[in-house]
Amino acid sequence: MAKETLTAEETRDMMIAVADAIIKAEPILTDADRALGDGDHGIGMERGMNAVKEKLEGQDFPNPGKVFMTMGMAMMSSMGGASGAVFGTLFRAGGKAIKGSDTLGGAECATFWREAAEGVMERGGAKPGDKTMVDALVPAAEAAEGASGGAAEILAAAAEGAESGKTASEDMIATMGRAKTLGEKSLGKPDAGAVSVSIITATMRDFAAG
Ligand code: ADP
Ligand code: MG
């Protein structure tokens, strides 16, 4: 059954499912980064998500925000590189914004995605159109904010926004990160980090859909 709200425990289980999905997608992320970058995105994300699982599995959390913050810190300290800071910030900034709530409802989901996007842009300096994961994250946040309903509806909207943002990134010329040296040669392929965001949001959608 679709979930209106998630407890801290359900949020933890949802993010363990996200970690498993990213670990499974390692070859896809590796290929995406090999096309435009240096090919280490899959391995980096896999390492980060293994650290996340170590910190989440079997642990109790006081609220959903703390689950996301713990996840972000595990990624920051285990991954290194651009994406360690960027993806770590996503979860830490989003989690921090909702740490006063006992459950993850529709409003908290929208706040999470908005503050995650703001935090990443502030930390990494990328703007929409630079062909980074921001191009999936900002449409996810906008779609979440524009939707109404409980957690399941808001997370579904975010996933749809991320998916179309990822696809739109194919037609962008990279102006940030390693891919920027490729110029117009970066056209035609999605950004690797945007692929990661689409997998993260789709897994959260599927978990909340029940
Ligand atoms: P690295 O660039 O250190 O090799 P990864 O390959 O793991 O790190 O991650 C690359 C991804 O990180 C890119 O596809 C892009 O989505 C994201 N990224 C890089 N720099 C930034 C930034 N400044 N802001 C947002 N995302 C970024
Ligand atoms: Mg790379």
Side-chain angles (χ1 to χ4, degrees), residues 18-32 41-43 45-46 195-196 199-200 203:
V18 165
D20 285 332
I22 289 286
I23 290 166
K24 198 168 152 213
E26 179 273 315
I28 294 167
L29 300 174
T30 296
D31 284 352
H41 186 61
I43 298 293
M45 290 295 282
E46 183 181 37
V195 177
S196 281
I199 293 166
I200 291 165
T203 308

Side-chain angles (χ1 to χ4, degrees), residues 33 37-41 178:
D33 192 37
D38 56 358
D40 64 350
H41 186 61
R178 293 182 203 277

Side-chain angles (χ1 to χ4, degrees), residues 33 38 40-41 44 81-83 86-87 120 124-126 131-134 176-178 191-194:
D33 192 37
D38 56 358
D40 64 350
H41 186 61
S83 60
V86 162
F87 281 88
V120 166
K131 197 174 180 112
T132 70
M133 53 84 88
V134 164
M176 285 291 288
R178 293 182 203 277
D191 171 67

